[in-house]
Amino acid sequence: MKIFPKISNILDKILQVTVFTLITGMIITVTLQIVARVFFTALSWTEEMSRYLLVWSSFLGASLAYHRGSHIAVTFLTERLSPATKKKVSLVAVLFSLFFFILGFWYGIEMIKMQVFQVSPSLNLPMKDVYLVIPISFGFMVFFAIENLLNAIVGEDNVR
């Protein structure tokens, strides 16, 4: 049970560095696109690259936000519940989240299977590589949801 927090912290650090790198790459790409359009000829690949960097940083950022409990939440009802009821509601919410994340992981893999032969127009990247972020991010969320589920069952307060 103590292995989950250690792995979770390592994954958090990896996701943090990865999302930071992707957003930095997106900022550089968009800046390059603006400079090239104003002073030179527009670069054909920058718009596509910035779009893919945005998609990857959004999905991985959502995984990071789920782990940190940073997603938007409506808590005015749960704040009024007794601790025992609050624990049960938290457990149900984690179970629903886990079910959704497993579905997202599964259908992300199915989406990749449909994109095997397609390539992107400007960068000639295999589209399966672009869609790979869906099962990766949902895989992270499945792991974090299992950690939250175990914490909810044990009764720890750090359920996110």
Side-chain angles (χ1 to χ4, degrees):
M1 180 82 156
K2 294 188 184 222
I3 192 77
F4 267 95
K6 290 179 182 178
I7 295 173
S8 182
N9 288 336
I10 291 170
L11 292 177
D12 186 273
K13 298 256 188 267
I14 291 170
L15 281 171
Q16 182 178 349
V17 169
T18 304
V19 170
F20 177 80
T21 304
L22 291 169
I23 290 175
T24 302
M26 185 174 57
I27 290 169
I28 291 169
T29 304
V30 170
T31 303
L32 181 64
Q33 181 180 27
I34 292 168
V35 169
R37 282 188 183 186
V38 171
F39 296 109
F40 310 107
T41 304
L43 301 171
S44 62
W45 58 271
T46 54
E47 193 259 325
E48 189 174 298
M49 175 65 85
S50 61
R51 184 180 329 127
Y52 297 150
L53 289 171
L54 176 66
V55 169
W56 271 74
S57 62
S58 297
F59 271 93
L60 294 177
S63 300
L64 190 61
Y66 178 73
H67 178 243
R68 294 180 177 184
S70 299
H71 280 291
I72 296 172
V74 180
T75 60
F76 70 91
L77 289 175
T78 57
E79 289 172 352
R80 297 178 185 194
L81 299 175
S82 68
T85 307
K86 192 174 186 178
K87 180 180 175 182
K88 291 175 186 173
V89 168
S90 176
L91 185 65
V92 169
V94 171
L95 285 171
F96 276 120
S97 297
L98 182 60
F99 176 72
F100 175 75
F101 298 151
I102 290 170
L103 281 177
F105 179 80
W106 174 262
Y107 282 107
I109 291 172
E110 292 299 314
M111 194 178 268
I112 289 172
K113 290 178 185 177
M114 291 187 289
Q115 304 299 327
V116 172
F117 301 109
Q118 187 178 4
V119 294
S120 66
S122 294
L123 296 171
N124 289 323
L125 289 173
M127 289 304 290
K128 64 181 173 75
D129 293 347
V130 175
Y131 286 106
L132 187 62
V133 73
I134 297 170
I136 288 174
S137 64
F138 277 110
F140 282 126
M141 287 189 244
V142 165
F143 178 83
F144 295 141
I146 291 170
E147 179 188 23
N148 284 342
L149 182 64
L150 292 174
N151 288 340
I153 291 170
V154 171
E156 295 183 18
D157 290 335
N158 58 352
V159 177
R160 295 174 192 109

